[in-house]
């Protein structure tokens, strides 16, 4: 664009002045671009680095088994695919148009903080803390809890919203009803809106139950509940989700959505509606996908946990979601000086080392924490166990080789 502007300007002023004017114009454009760079809002500082891109690129370069990113490498259920095909081929009209303080519970999915900043909000963090375990006992996501006193201290007259994620990514914690009541009482006491990310609501294991905070007394009118068809029907590429809540809140979301999103995946939306109609006919029965899928993924979870333990990794057993984290403290003690920048959290250096040397990819858990707290949780890495049998077999082969290398 600037090149075209320069060419037009030089053509208009004549050949004898082009060289001089061209130099001036170049200088002017340079100053303009420099000023544009300097004028970037401070709230955007530090959110341009993307560890997802870095880890994915490395996994591809080293032909690693990717256990890091949260996508199934198997197809969605047949009924969902058929619904999408039907949506593509049936109704042709589906192809047409269709600075507040925010409390964030960490670890949190890493988009929450930049989204809060982009909206002009000020993120305030409160941390889930693991309880001590017995020697030799695996930790559980249920042991990661909020400190009620600390949580209450984060609420002030300037607090406008709280972001909750249950089941939690990356820990896999399913918040108990008692924990949700604690959050709900504080939200009501301080007149705070709760934005709850419940995209893994159907993926709960070991008999645990997911409770939506909006179902608690006094919370429907102050809660926005987010769901995901991508997670519910194993079709993460569809990028179809929803928000449930009272019209007094949802009407504002509709206004923002209408004026910021130009394209919606209409066929995907139609397919999701058909998929839910299918599930309604089977809901709560053994034939339900929402019953079968968690059972299958629990087996994958247990398989991966056993396999990773064989090389000294210590998984934290999740109650729900696609993920669990694994403690790498023993590795941090044995090989603390892995390659990398001295200020880079240990888990990021470990993941890069594991990709390069062991052919396995994971995600460093420190990216799910606010910057001041990253150093306290840099001894965990995140794995995704929602994977096909062939991926688990490839993982086992890598781990068997790693195990043999550990033998004296």
């Amino acid at each position: 664009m600037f090149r075209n502007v320069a060419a037009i300007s030089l053509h208009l002023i004549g050949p004898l002045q082009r060289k001089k004017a061209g130099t001036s114009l170049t200088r002017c454009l340079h100053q303009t671009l420099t000023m544009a760079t300097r004028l970037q809002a401070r709230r955007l500082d530090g959110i341009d680095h993307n560890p997802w891109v870095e880890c994915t690129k490395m996994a591809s370069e080293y032909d690693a088994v990717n256990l890091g990113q949260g996508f199934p490498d198997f197809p969605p259920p047949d009924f969902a695919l058929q619904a999408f095909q039907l949506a593509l081929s049936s109704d042709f009209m589906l192809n047409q148009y269709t600075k507040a303080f925010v409390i964030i519970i960490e670890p949190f999915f890493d988009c929450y903080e930049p989204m809060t900043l982009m909206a002009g909000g000020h993120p305030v963090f409160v941390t889930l803390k693991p309880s001590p375990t017995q020697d030799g006992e695996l930790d559980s996501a249920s042991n990661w809890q909020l400190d009620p006193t600390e949580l209450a201290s984060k609420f002030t007259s300037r607090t406008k919203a709280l972001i909750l994620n249950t089941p939690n990514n990356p820990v896999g914690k399913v918040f108990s009803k008692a924990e949700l009541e604690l959050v709900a009482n504080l939200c009501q006491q301080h007149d705070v809106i709760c934005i709850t990310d419940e995209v893994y609501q159907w993926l709960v294991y070991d008999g645990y139950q997911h409770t939506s905070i909006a179902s608690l007394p006094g919370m429907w009118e102050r809660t926005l509940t987010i769901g995901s068809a991508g997670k519910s029907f194993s079709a993460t590429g569809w990028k179809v989700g929803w928000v449930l809540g009272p019209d007094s809140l949802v009407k504002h979301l509709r206004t923002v959505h209408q004026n910021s999103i130009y394209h919606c995946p209409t066929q995907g939306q139609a397919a999701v509606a058909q998929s839910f109609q299918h599930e309604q006919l089977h809901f709560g029965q053994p034939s339900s996908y929402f019953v079968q899928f968690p059972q299958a993924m629990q087996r994958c979870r247990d398989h991966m946990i056993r396999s990773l333990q064989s090389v000294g990794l210590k998984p934290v057993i999740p109650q729900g979601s696609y993920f669990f984290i694994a403690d790498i403290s023993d590795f941090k003690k044995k090989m603390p000086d892995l390659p990398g920048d001295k200020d880079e959290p240990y888990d990021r250096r470990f993941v890069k080392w594991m990709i390069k040397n062991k052919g396995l990819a994971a995600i460093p858990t420190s990216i799910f924490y606010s910057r001041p707290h990253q150093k306290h949780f840099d001894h965990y890495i995140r794995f995704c166990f929602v994977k096909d049998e062939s991926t688990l077999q490839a993982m086992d082969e890598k781990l068997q080789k790693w195990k043999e290398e550990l033998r004296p």
Side-chain angles (χ1 to χ4, degrees):
M1 175 181 173
F2 287 114
R3 192 174 299 166
N4 293 337
V5 171
I8 293 170
S9 300
L10 294 177
H11 175 74
L12 292 176
I13 62 179
L16 295 178
Q17 300 177 18
R18 285 179 190 171
K19 183 175 181 180
K20 183 177 179 180
T23 302
S24 300
L25 183 58
T26 301
R27 188 181 299 116
C28 180
L29 290 173
H30 174 74
Q31 291 174 348
T32 301
L33 291 173
T34 301
M35 289 176 62
T37 302
R38 291 175 181 168
L39 289 174
Q40 173 176 296
R42 291 184 182 276
R43 66 178 179 270
L44 304 182
D45 291 347
I47 67 173
D48 53 345
H49 175 67
N50 192 326
W52 301 91
V53 174
E54 182 180 18
C55 291
T56 302
K57 182 180 179 183
M58 286 187 64
S60 177
E61 288 175 352
Y62 290 91
D63 194 27
V65 179
N66 193 341
L67 308 176
Q69 288 180 283
F71 62 87
D73 54 0
F74 48 82
D78 289 343
F79 66 82
L81 291 176
Q82 291 166 3
F84 192 82
Q85 292 167 354
L86 179 63
L88 284 172
S89 59
S90 57
D91 185 357
F92 71 92
M93 287 302 295
L94 292 176
N95 295 296
Q96 310 308 320
Y97 289 141
T98 65
K99 191 155 190 173
F101 280 38
V102 179
I103 296 174
I104 301 176
I105 298 172
E106 58 180 358
F108 56 89
F109 188 53
D110 64 331
C111 70
Y112 295 168
E113 182 179 9
M115 285 179 173
T116 299
L117 293 170
M118 288 290 288
H122 178 78
V124 176
F125 302 96
V126 59
T127 309
L128 290 170
K129 296 183 175 67
S131 303
T133 57
Q134 300 294 327
D135 290 343
E137 179 185 1
L138 284 182
D139 195 3
S140 169
S142 62
N143 293 331
W144 291 57
Q145 299 181 346
L146 291 168
D147 180 325
T149 303
E150 181 186 10
L151 176 62
S153 72
K154 302 297 182 179
F155 285 80
T156 71
S157 59
R158 301 178 67 181
T159 306
K160 301 302 179 185
L162 176 143
I163 300 177
L164 173 71
N165 177 207
T166 181
N168 173 269
N169 172 15
V171 175
K173 174 183 174 62
V174 175
F175 282 74
S176 68
K177 187 174 181 180
E179 291 172 313
L180 295 176
E181 288 173 341
L182 169 66
V183 174
N185 290 337
L186 288 167
C187 286
Q188 293 177 59
Q189 179 182 339
H190 295 275
D191 193 21
V192 167
I193 292 172
C194 180
I195 303 170
T196 176
D197 180 348
E198 300 181 11
V199 299
Y200 301 106
Q201 67 181 103
W202 305 112
L203 282 165
V204 180
Y205 314 114
D206 299 323
Y208 285 99
Q209 296 293 319
H210 167 76
T211 300
S212 178
I213 194 169
S215 68
L216 300 184
M219 285 305 291
W220 167 257
E221 56 266 32
R222 65 175 62 255
T223 302
L224 291 169
T225 304
I226 299 170
S228 166
K231 302 301 190 296
S232 298
F233 297 113
S234 307
T236 55
W238 288 9
K239 297 298 182 185
V240 177
W242 55 85
V243 174
L244 304 176
D247 187 64
S248 59
L249 296 178
V250 173
K251 68 180 180 181
H252 301 297
L253 293 188
R254 288 197 297 265
T255 300
V256 172
H257 191 273
Q258 179 179 331
N259 291 284
S260 60
I261 305 298
Y262 190 72
H263 168 264
C264 293
T266 313
Q267 290 87 355
Q269 292 174 331
V272 170
Q274 290 286 334
S275 296
F276 271 118
Q277 288 178 358
H278 174 278
E279 274 302 290
Q280 276 190 313
L281 298 175
H282 300 268
F283 193 73
Q285 303 174 29
S287 57
S288 169
Y289 187 70
F290 293 161
V291 171
Q292 295 175 354
F293 189 44
Q295 293 174 346
M297 291 308 101
Q298 182 167 327
R299 291 192 292 270
C300 292
R301 179 201 69 172
D302 295 344
H303 179 145
M304 190 177 287
I305 285 174
R306 289 192 300 269
S307 296
L308 292 175
Q309 281 184 276
S310 69
V311 296
L313 292 163
K314 297 178 180 178
V316 177
I317 302 174
Q319 302 164 280
S321 84
Y322 275 14
F323 311 104
F324 62 75
I325 62 175
D327 191 331
I328 56 171
S329 297
D330 290 346
F331 292 91
K332 189 175 181 180
K333 294 174 184 175
K334 294 174 184 176
M335 45 184 198
D337 300 319
L338 290 177
D341 189 286
K342 65 177 181 179
D343 295 325
E344 188 176 28
Y346 182 79
D347 58 343
R348 302 189 194 188
R349 288 183 281 144
F350 183 87
V351 164
K352 293 175 186 177
W353 170 85
M354 189 171 69
I355 292 172
K356 291 179 180 179
N357 296 279
K358 305 304 177 185
L360 293 169
I363 295 294
T365 300
S366 63
I367 71 169
F368 301 103
Y369 284 88
S370 58
R371 192 157 299 184
H373 296 161
Q374 289 180 358
K375 62 180 179 291
H376 302 303
F377 293 90
D378 71 344
H379 54 286
Y380 295 97
I381 59 177
R382 191 197 76 169
F383 291 93
C384 174
F385 54 86
V386 181
K387 298 298 179 184
D388 186 71
E389 181 65 28
S390 61
T391 303
L392 297 179
Q393 290 176 358
M395 172 197 71
D396 287 339
E397 292 172 4
K398 301 284 188 182
L399 290 171
Q400 182 59 36
K401 183 178 179 181
W402 187 351
K403 184 178 178 181
E404 291 172 357
E405 292 170 354
L406 292 173
R407 290 175 181 166

